[in-house]
Amino acid sequence: MGFGILRHLALLALFLFLQSSAQSTDGGRGDLPGMKRDMFDQINKQKQQGGAGAKEKKRPECPKSDQNSPFTAFAIVGGNIYVKFNESDATCRRLTSVAGANISSLFAAARTCGAVGEWKRRVAEELSAMYFITGGEGWPKSDGEPIEVELEDGNYSIPITPANYELIKDCWARGCGCEQAANPKMKVVMLTLLAIALSGLGWDVFKMVYEKFFGGKKKDKEKKEKKDKKEKKEKKEKKTKKGDGEATGDESTAEPKSHSETEKEEEKSEKDTEKSETDKEDKSETEKEDEKN
């Protein structure tokens, strides 16, 4: 009896747990009409539809190219293709269609298979495969057979060859020398930066050469001028200090006297002393004579 009750309680608890785990994180509000769904709602929906983290459908592989081309130059610029039939052609011309398949259809076919970011490479290097994806049937069956090509200035019948394919494979990413692939604005910017760099380098070289041959004399002259100014300033300061010392009687601020000047002052002091004593003696004798009289 007790075991049966425990079993029923366990089943009930399991049922409630499953119900709560199956419930959406927002209490089911995301399923109401007009309510926005967040990333949690999307995850729950994926779980319900076939497991979490369901992978996207893999893109199919592209068919193999026959490695032939009617062109010796190939450049994709924006939504256009520019080509040459012969390397001796002066300029590249805009391609309109290949065996009845226009450029837009070739671009669309290149985006249906293979890696996402390589559709331009597929148009250039696997042109025959992209043509077959469009449903066309006019591509030649073997090397050397002609294919109908329409350019902006007319229609041409050009044979396909493996040699042309090798040329295109090596140069299409750089534009194969087509002037339409050159970016004039970027070219101007690069030339401007080059000119600035060369002018700066030229100025540095000129400055270095000038300082090497003429800068030494100028530096010596400047040093000499600084030294003269410093000496003049020191002499001026000494004179100022000497004048202040004599005016105030402060010997500490006065300029120290030389040995000869000191001797002269001592001799003068001795003479003044002797003269003072002589005057005193004469004065005393005169006073004695006056007393006698």
Side-chain angles (χ1 to χ4, degrees), residues 44-285:
N44 289 330
K45 187 176 181 181
Q46 288 177 357
K47 288 181 180 179
Q48 294 171 3
Q49 291 178 352
K55 294 183 179 179
E56 295 182 0
K57 188 177 179 181
K58 187 177 180 181
R59 290 169 63 90
E61 294 293 332
C62 294
K64 298 296 182 181
S65 168
D66 65 352
Q67 298 186 352
N68 286 301
S69 177
F71 311 115
T72 59
F74 193 99
I76 300 176
V77 182
N80 297 315
I81 297 176
Y82 297 90
V83 298
K84 283 183 181 181
F85 297 144
N86 298 301
E87 294 185 51
S88 59
D89 290 346
T91 59
C92 296
R93 291 173 287 176
R94 184 169 60 85
L95 179 65
T96 303
S97 66
V98 178
N102 60 35
I103 304 306
S104 299
S105 64
L106 292 173
F107 286 168
R111 290 186 172 96
T112 61
C113 61
V116 176
E118 297 182 358
W119 67 271
K120 288 184 179 181
R121 181 189 64 78
R122 289 191 286 272
V123 173
E125 298 182 13
E126 302 172 11
L127 183 59
S128 61
M130 300 305 104
Y131 177 79
F132 289 131
I133 291 175
T134 63
E137 298 179 355
W139 192 269
K141 300 295 187 294
S142 61
D143 303 348
E145 291 186 6
I147 187 173
E148 295 298 322
V149 176
E150 183 181 355
L151 301 184
E152 57 185 342
D153 59 351
N155 297 334
Y156 301 87
S157 181
I158 307 297
I160 59 172
T161 64
N164 289 348
Y165 172 81
E166 294 298 328
L167 288 173
I168 296 301
K169 185 178 179 181
D170 291 337
C171 74
W172 77 266
R174 302 187 302 274
C176 294
C178 292
E179 60 184 8
Q180 293 87 349
N183 191 336
K185 293 182 179 179
M186 183 58 67
K187 189 175 181 180
V188 170
V189 171
M190 295 301 294
L191 289 175
T192 303
L193 293 175
L194 179 62
I196 292 172
L198 291 176
S199 62
L201 180 62
W203 170 253
D204 291 338
V205 171
F206 172 77
K207 188 177 179 181
M208 184 177 65
V209 173
Y210 180 81
E211 288 181 353
K212 184 177 181 181
F213 291 99
F214 304 102
K217 296 179 180 179
K218 187 176 180 180
K219 286 183 178 179
D220 293 340
K221 186 178 179 181
E222 289 178 354
K223 287 181 179 180
K224 188 177 180 181
E225 290 177 352
K226 288 182 179 179
K227 187 177 179 181
D228 293 341
K229 287 181 179 179
K230 187 176 180 181
E231 289 178 352
K232 288 179 180 179
K233 186 177 180 181
E234 289 177 352
K235 288 180 179 179
K236 188 175 180 180
E237 289 177 352
K238 286 180 180 180
K239 287 181 180 179
T240 304
K241 288 181 179 180
K242 183 179 178 181
D244 293 342
E246 290 176 353
T248 58
D250 188 358
E251 295 182 357
S252 61
T253 58
E255 185 178 357
K257 297 178 181 179
S258 63
H259 182 66
S260 58
E261 290 178 348
T262 305
E263 288 181 349
K264 289 180 180 180
E265 289 181 356
E266 289 178 354
E267 290 178 359
K268 185 179 180 182
S269 179
E270 289 177 358
K271 288 180 179 179
D272 292 340
T273 304
E274 290 176 357
K275 184 178 179 182
S276 178
E277 290 178 354
T278 306
D279 292 340
K280 286 180 180 180
E281 290 176 357
D282 293 340
K283 186 176 181 181
S284 58
E285 289 179 358

